[in-house]
Structures are given as structure tokens and as C-alpha cells.
Amino acid sequence: TRRGKEGKPVVNARAEYGMLSPTKMPKMANISQFMKLYNDVYSDANNGQLAYSPEDQEKYLSGVDPDLFPNVDWLGTIYKNHTTNFRVNVNVSGGSKLINYYVAGSVYKENGMYNAIESPEYNPALNWMRYNFRSNVDINISKSTVLNVNLSNQYDKKNKPDSDEIWIYSFQMIPNAVPLEYSDGSAAAPPKSVNPYNLLNKTGYVQQFTNNAQALIGLTQDFSDFVTPGLKANVKFSWDATNVNTLSRY
């Protein structure tokens, strides 16, 4: 545990910024590849007939009517290519003959890979924010008595969509199953599956708040001048308090 020492205040600061990306993402068939493969299989089973005629294929590719002829890159829409994190640390230490101190604070934020639609009123994005505070103070009550007061607090805020199945359904969806949403803004849903775009952006999100506070107070008495050299006694008192709140928004 870092402690302060007698001297002028010393300030240290550090900032870090990073980028994160998946180790590997699968490459899914695009609309052209899907229709070709589907036509090959369908033709073999149906005496040469095609599931997608040349005219239909052109409509899917041209985007002439995205409601009836959708063309969606589900993984490219649901997920980002990369995301970011940052950390800022600041600490101050110093002291005098009476008191020594070390005070530190830090902020850390990590964003998620979901490409959610964010707004001040509704934000289903995946992210994590953490605040840390620590204070270690040593007070020389007398020549032989030292009071140590160590305080720390950690506050976490986690935000995520209210679904754990986005990953599954984004892999199951074929490019022309449904549009992300219809042109009038209404939700699009396939007959026997779930639209992952709806799961991400239109089915609610969860915020979890965690606060963890800790305290350690110690009193050290040196009996070298009263009993025998090197004899010390130490009394400590500590407590922890944790509070967790979860808020679901729809």
C-alpha cells in the first residue's frame, strides 16, 4: 500500500487510450453468394427450377424495395469493427512532521462491440465505467503514537442490452430474411426467428450500479521509551460496505 512521506506535494498523472477488436469474426455469405448457393441446392431438388429468378436477384442487389427485397449484412450492422477504452490516473502524496498522505483517483471506461443506436433518452449500448478513489493518511498523534486512516471507494456502472441472445440470432439470420426495420419505422420480424436488430435496439436495456466502500483504521503505539526497546502494539478496525442496484428500462 502506498504511503505519503514528509515533503512537498508530489503530483503524478497518467492517461491511457486503447482500441479493442475481436480476435476473429466469421465471414458470412453476402446476398449474391447466398442466392447462388440456395439456387444450386433448390435446383437440384426441383428439376432445375430456381428459387430466385434473375429478376428477383436484381431487385435484392439494387435495393429498389428494401421492404420486400431486403439485403442486410447482419454482423456488419450489429457489431463494430473495433471499440475503445480509456483510463486516467491521478495521485498526490506528501506530508509534514504531523501528517503524511497519499490520495489517488482513477477513471476507466470500456466500450462494447455492439453498434447500438444511442440517445440521451434511450441507450442500449454495451459499456462499463469504473471510478476508484483511495486515501491513505498517517497522523503522528504523539512521538510514539501513529493513527493510520485508509479509505477506498470503487463505483461501477455497467450498461447492456436486455438480451443475451443477440449473438445467436445475428449468426442465424440470412441476408434477405427481413430488413432491419420497415421504411415506415415499424419493427421487422421473421416468421420463425428473432430480428437481432430489434433485440439490440428495441427490447430494453439494463443498468447495474455497484458501490464498494472500504475502511481500515489502525492505531500503533511504540512502547520503546516506556517498557522495552522495539515493543509496539497495533490495533486495527475495518469495515466493508457493498451496494448493488439494477435498473431495467424499456
Side-chain angles (χ1 to χ4, degrees):
T1 303
R2 295 186 179 182
R3 321 295 307 182
K5 59 182 180 181
E6 186 175 343
K8 295 181 179 180
V10 178
V11 180
N12 294 295
R14 180 176 180 177
E16 300 174 357
Y17 182 85
M19 299 188 70
L20 308 170
S21 62
T23 303
K24 188 175 183 179
M25 287 288 283
K27 186 174 178 59
M28 312 300 283
N30 59 34
I31 187 65
S32 297
Q33 295 167 329
F34 173 78
M35 289 190 294
K36 182 181 183 303
L37 291 171
Y38 196 92
N39 268 345
D40 290 343
V41 175
Y42 189 89
S43 176
D44 288 343
N46 292 273
N47 299 318
Q49 295 183 22
L50 298 178
Y52 298 101
S53 68
E55 292 78 13
D56 288 340
Q57 293 182 49
E58 179 59 30
K59 291 177 181 179
Y60 281 112
L61 293 171
S62 66
V64 62
D65 189 341
D67 287 348
L68 294 178
F69 299 93
N71 178 6
V72 180
D73 176 6
W74 292 101
L75 293 189
T77 300
I78 300 297
Y79 301 98
K80 304 174 184 177
N81 292 326
H82 61 269
T83 188
T84 59
N85 64 9
F86 73 84
R87 185 194 307 271
V88 177
N89 299 303
V90 178
N91 65 72
V92 182
S93 62
S96 63
K97 292 183 178 180
L98 177 62
I99 184 171
N100 295 324
Y101 58 87
Y102 172 84
V103 180
S106 66
V107 179
Y108 175 77
K109 183 177 183 180
E110 183 171 304
N111 296 305
M113 292 300 299
Y114 288 135
N115 191 25
I117 298 175
E118 304 177 36
S119 71
E121 295 80 19
Y122 187 88
N123 182 11
L126 181 66
N127 58 61
W128 171 36
M129 179 77 81
R130 168 174 285 181
Y131 302 89
N132 281 310
F133 171 79
R134 174 170 291 278
S135 174
N136 300 328
V137 179
D138 303 320
I139 304 172
N140 298 312
I141 298 176
S142 69
K143 180 182 177 182
S144 59
T145 307
V146 179
L147 176 66
N148 311 110
V149 180
N150 304 327
L151 305 174
S152 69
N153 194 83
Q154 180 177 291
Y155 177 75
D156 289 84
K157 178 184 175 182
K158 297 179 180 179
N159 200 92
K160 74 180 190 72
D162 193 19
S163 174
D164 296 323
E165 298 181 324
I166 298 172
W167 181 262
I168 297 173
Y169 287 110
S170 62
F171 273 88
Q172 291 182 352
M173 294 292 283
I174 60 176
N176 60 348
V178 290
L180 296 177
E181 59 184 6
Y182 290 114
S183 55
D184 62 0
S186 60
K192 295 183 180 181
S193 187
V194 177
N195 186 337
Y197 181 82
N198 293 340
L199 288 180
L200 176 60
N201 294 297
K202 299 185 178 183
T203 56
Y205 64 100
V206 177
Q207 292 179 313
Q208 186 179 73
F209 307 89
T210 304
N211 192 70
N212 184 21
Q214 298 177 324
L216 175 62
I217 300 174
L219 184 67
T220 301
Q221 178 65 51
D222 189 345
F223 292 101
S224 297
D225 295 337
F226 309 109
V227 182
T228 184
L231 179 62
K232 294 182 179 181
N234 182 271
V235 178
K236 291 184 178 181
F237 170 77
S238 67
W239 60 268
D240 295 354
T242 300
N243 181 54
V244 180
N245 291 305
T246 301
L247 180 63
S248 297
R249 298 179 181 270
Y250 299 97

